[in-house]
Amino acid sequence: MHMLNSIDRISAWAGKGVAWLVPVLILELVYDTAARYLFNAPTEWSFDISYMLYAAIFLLAAAYTLQKDGHVRIELIYERFPPRGRAFLDCLGYIVFFYPAMAALIYYGSLFAWESWMLRETSNLSMWQPPIYPLKTVLPLATALLILQGTVIFIRSVRTLIQGESS
């Protein structure tokens, strides 16, 4: 129980922490737009910063979104089931879809990041060419957070399945 709540707190901390990158992203985009259209002085770095920030926000907020039940599902069908039925569907979904997908993401994402670090890879999407390996490291880290939060929900679903009540 304590461990599950600790993982919930980690997911909340990551989600709320990464939310502070949203204003940074907005300011960066406003600055670049003003520089480009008002002063005819586009930046070399804006595109890279914007996709890196967006990717980090999207990936690192996934566990928090899962914790808050914010991911997409077919509510029309799901909500018609009693708590045990929803718990069964959740358990089935985690076993059939979630864990296999997360295993692939953690495995291939780790290889992807490791190779990038070994090459000291840089982005070739702009003239600035910043290092890309720190961003690629976010994928396996965010996946690990998502696996932890998914496991918390899976355990709680199993508990509901056995006890017949939501926890």
Side-chain angles (χ1 to χ4, degrees), residues 143-164:
T143 303
L145 284 173
L146 197 53
I147 290 168
L148 286 172
Q149 188 60 52
T151 301
V152 166
I153 294 170
F154 179 78
I155 290 169
R156 288 180 177 148
S157 295
V158 168
R159 185 181 310 140
T160 300
L161 202 53
I162 293 168
Q163 296 175 352

Side-chain angles (χ1 to χ4, degrees), residues 15-163:
K16 290 175 182 178
V18 79
W20 286 100
L21 292 177
V22 174
V24 173
L25 176 59
I26 292 168
L27 288 172
E28 181 273 325
L29 291 170
V30 167
Y31 175 83
D32 183 61
T33 302
R36 177 171 305 191
Y37 293 107
L38 296 177
F39 304 109
N40 196 26
T43 62
E44 290 182 4
W45 49 265
S46 178
F47 176 73
D48 291 304
I49 293 295
S50 63
Y51 79 76
M52 288 181 189
L53 283 173
Y54 178 75
I57 292 164
F58 180 84
L59 291 169
L60 291 169
Y64 180 65
T65 305
L66 184 62
Q67 177 195 26
K68 294 299 180 186
D69 200 25
H71 289 284
V72 176
R73 75 160 63 102
I74 305 172
E75 293 290 333
L76 184 67
I77 297 168
Y78 186 79
E79 291 300 319
R80 293 179 190 246
F81 286 93
R84 273 192 169 151
R86 288 194 297 265
F88 175 76
L89 288 175
D90 285 342
C91 288
L92 185 64
Y94 275 86
I95 291 168
V96 173
F97 299 111
F98 181 81
Y99 286 118
M102 293 302 105
L105 268 177
I106 200 88
Y107 178 76
Y108 290 108
S110 297
L111 291 177
F112 187 58
W114 178 257
E115 183 176 299
S116 187
W117 275 90
M118 292 299 98
L119 297 171
R120 296 287 193 243
E121 185 178 9
T122 59
S123 172
N124 62 357
L125 298 176
S126 73
M127 293 178 1
W128 182 38
Q129 297 185 335
I132 196 83
Y133 46 91
L135 176 64
K136 288 187 176 185
T137 305
V138 171
L139 179 60
L141 293 176
T143 303
L145 284 173
L146 197 53
I147 290 168
L148 286 172
Q149 188 60 52
T151 301
V152 166
I153 294 170
F154 179 78
I155 290 169
R156 288 180 177 148
S157 295
V158 168
R159 185 181 310 140
T160 300
L161 202 53
I162 293 168
Q163 296 175 352

